[in-house]
Amino acid sequence: ADKLISRAMEAIFAEYGHPREGLAPAQLAQRMQQFHWEKVDMKDADKPPPGSRSKGGWTTKRSEQGLVRRLLHAMMTSDTFTVVMGGHSAAAGEGNHFRQSYMMQFHKVMAPIFAHLGVKLITRNIGMGGLGTLHNAMGMGSIYGDDIDLLIWDSGMTEGKDLAAVDMFLRQGLIGGKRVPVIWGSGLNFNIL
């Protein structure tokens, strides 16, 4: 699994213009920031950590532990791991072939790693152009699925300032299925957390 993960990371680096060849040791260390998560204590934080959007993002210790438990459970029970994204047209990949959307590219890179660990990765891209996520949020379990492990919100372009719409999506995601998913947001308004 380690070799598969290393190959996947190298593929991502190459895709984003940071292949290993020709890089000095300092540049090799710097490119690892692409996978670095800042960890935030929500009791003390009132905004995302500085520079976190140019790295791998940020999370809380509790959220990270929840994701780790979810992944370990899937590995120990040979269960599925379901990742679902709700978002706008750019997240859906409109203007590209569906397989070029970032969710389908995520699946292409990660499915072999999950398979090697005995887990079937299921990836759903439920992004829609011009509409955002509010209209589908009420039918979360039926539309997005009731077995979500990781729910991604990426609708900042259409709903980024509409906190009520984002709140509805997240709440429905939490209560709309058989599992309570870990939630990730791309550009999610920090105040809603």
Side-chain angles (χ1 to χ4, degrees):
D2 286 342
K3 288 181 182 176
L4 274 173
I5 292 169
S6 294
R7 285 199 310 257
M9 288 174 72
E10 285 302 323
I12 292 167
F13 285 137
E15 181 71 23
Y16 283 90
H18 304 289
R20 176 179 290 279
E21 298 80 30
L23 293 180
Q27 292 171 309
L28 289 171
Q30 182 182 5
R31 76 181 188 148
M32 286 305 291
Q33 291 297 309
Q34 188 169 332
F35 290 98
H36 177 74
W37 281 5
E38 295 286 336
K39 291 175 188 70
V40 175
D41 183 348
M42 292 298 284
K43 289 182 271 182
D44 302 326
D46 62 352
K47 60 184 175 185
S52 60
R53 289 188 54 88
S54 63
K55 299 177 184 172
W58 64 273
T59 188
T60 64
K61 264 190 182 173
R62 185 174 176 194
S63 180
E64 181 186 40
Q65 290 167 351
L67 180 59
V68 167
R69 277 193 307 276
R70 189 68 59 100
L71 289 166
L72 286 173
H73 172 77
M75 286 183 256
M76 292 170 62
T77 61
S78 298
D79 198 359
T80 60
F81 189 85
T82 304
V83 179
V84 178
M85 184 277 302
H88 51 55
S89 58
E94 290 187 12
N96 292 323
H97 188 279
F98 181 71
R99 295 239 179 246
Q100 294 172 320
S101 69
Y102 74 81
M103 287 305 295
M104 296 303 102
Q105 289 300 305
F106 163 82
H107 186 85
K108 181 180 176 182
V109 170
M110 297 303 294
I113 295 169
F114 277 77
H116 189 71
L117 298 169
V119 177
K120 180 181 178 185
L121 176 63
I122 299 170
T123 307
R124 298 185 189 124
N125 181 344
I126 315 289
M128 301 181 82
L131 297 172
T133 58
L134 178 62
H135 62 290
N136 284 340
M138 295 303 289
M140 179 65 71
S142 298
I143 296 170
Y144 292 87
D146 63 0
D147 58 348
I148 303 169
D149 291 294
L150 177 60
L151 179 62
I152 301 170
W153 179 87
D154 187 358
S155 196
M157 191 165 59
T158 54
E159 296 173 316
K161 292 183 170 73
D162 187 353
L163 297 185
V166 179
D167 184 65
M168 174 67 76
F169 177 82
L170 298 177
R171 286 178 190 269
Q172 288 299 113
L174 292 171
I175 65 172
K178 299 175 191 168
R179 302 176 183 178
V180 176
V182 173
I183 294 176
W184 281 0
S186 176
L188 192 59
N189 187 312
F190 195 82
N191 295 326
I192 202 147
L193 301 174

